[in-house]
């Protein structure tokens, strides 16, 4: 886990996955975190990176929950690859069996100024949804005030798309940090 330090006090944990199919040279979720980590972007929060999670619900959930317990972030942004999507999509919920858990973040407000991001109500029924569900359940069970969202990242095929996606992603980070600052002041 690496940390990118800013002068703010809000802590945000960002996660990404490894690849899982032979044709995948990289995972776009991890590519996006790497781009953000290496860019000149100065976040309004302290960013913590937990990259290349195993593509296994139990193992990934255990690692992320352990990191949440360790750094106690105010925000967790989990990222996964969505090869067939063309925009960043923020998942509203995650299901397991007959239970559906929702993020406490107002996603409509979060995406309204973004160029290449929309809200999704289908987290994919794979490891992404499994991790998201386990994390939302943990936050709820522990009665944490932690904001948690899951962002699906499309393939970063062109430089123009990559730049717009990076800008939207950094705006998501900034907006969540500002929401927390506003809530803490009230």
């Amino acid at each position: 886990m690496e940390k990118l330090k800013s002068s703010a006090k809000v802590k945000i944990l960002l996660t990404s996955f490894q690849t899982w199919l032979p044709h995948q040279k990289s995972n776009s979720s991890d590519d996006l975190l790497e781009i953000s980590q290496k860019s000149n972007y100065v976040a309004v929060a302290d960013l913590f990176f937990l990259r290349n999670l195993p593509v296994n619900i139990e193992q990934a959930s255990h690692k992320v929950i352990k990191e949440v317990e360790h750094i106690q972030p105010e925000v967790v942004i989990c990222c996964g690859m969505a090869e067939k999507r063309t925009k960043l999509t923020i998942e509203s919920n995650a299901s397991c069996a007959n239970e559906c858990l929702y993020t406490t973040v107002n996603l409509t407000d979060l995406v309204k100024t973004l160029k290449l991001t929309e809200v999704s109500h289908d987290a994919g029924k794979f490891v992404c949804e499994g991790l998201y569900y386990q994390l939302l359940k943990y936050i709820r069970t522990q009665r944490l005030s932690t904001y948690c969202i899951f962002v699906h990242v499309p393939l970063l095929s062109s430089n123009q798309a990559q730049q717009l996606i990076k800008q939207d992603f950094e705006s998501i980070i900034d907006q969540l940090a500002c929401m927390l600052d506003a809530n803490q002041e009230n």
Side-chain angles (χ1 to χ4, degrees):
M1 197 241 353
E2 296 178 48
K3 179 182 170 193
L4 186 65
K5 187 83 169 148
S6 77
S7 60
K9 62 182 181 249
V10 173
K11 291 186 266 185
I12 298 179
L13 174 63
L14 301 124
T15 73
S16 66
F17 284 103
Q18 300 170 342
T19 59
W20 69 95
L21 294 173
H23 74 273
Q24 297 167 336
K25 294 188 182 355
S26 65
N27 186 309
S28 59
S29 69
D30 190 59
D31 295 342
L32 182 58
L33 292 192
E34 181 179 25
I35 290 165
S36 292
Q37 216 173 356
K38 289 182 176 179
S39 75
N40 292 330
Y41 166 62
V42 177
V44 297
D46 289 336
L47 302 181
F48 297 81
F49 293 84
L50 184 58
R51 297 177 46 199
N52 288 302
L53 290 169
V55 182
N56 175 291
I57 295 169
E58 188 177 314
Q59 292 174 9
S61 300
H62 176 75
K63 285 183 177 227
V64 174
I65 289 170
K66 187 175 176 184
E67 199 61 31
V68 167
E69 290 171 345
H70 175 69
I71 66 170
Q72 299 179 348
E74 288 86 5
V75 178
V76 179
I77 303 174
C78 296
C79 300
M81 179 163 63
E83 289 182 293
K84 293 184 170 118
R85 297 185 189 182
T86 58
K87 296 181 175 186
L88 281 179
T89 50
I90 304 175
E91 303 302 336
S92 65
N93 68 81
S95 299
C96 183
N98 293 328
E99 186 176 27
C100 185
L101 301 177
Y102 290 84
T103 181
T104 58
V105 176
N106 182 329
L107 298 182
T108 304
D109 285 350
L110 187 62
V111 302
K112 78 174 138 188
T113 62
L114 303 177
K115 295 178 179 90
L116 208 58
T117 304
E118 61 190 19
V119 177
S120 166
H121 308 288
D122 180 4
K125 305 296 178 223
F126 189 50
V127 70
C128 295
E129 183 164 36
L131 170 62
Y132 194 28
Y133 174 84
Q134 292 300 325
L135 199 49
L136 289 172
K137 184 177 180 178
Y138 172 79
I139 289 167
R140 186 169 133 189
T141 303
Q142 297 299 311
R143 297 183 178 170
L144 302 177
S145 59
T146 307
Y147 285 156
C148 179
I149 62 171
F150 196 100
V151 178
H152 268 116
V153 181
L155 295 177
L156 303 175
S157 53
S158 72
N159 285 338
Q160 182 181 11
Q162 180 177 310
Q163 191 59 31
L164 288 172
I165 288 169
K166 176 183 166 288
Q167 288 171 356
D168 274 13
F169 187 68
E170 290 170 353
S171 181
I172 290 166
I173 293 169
D174 291 343
Q175 286 184 63
L176 288 168
C178 289
M179 281 182 202
L180 273 165
D181 281 344
N183 286 347
Q184 290 173 354
E185 289 175 5
N186 293 333

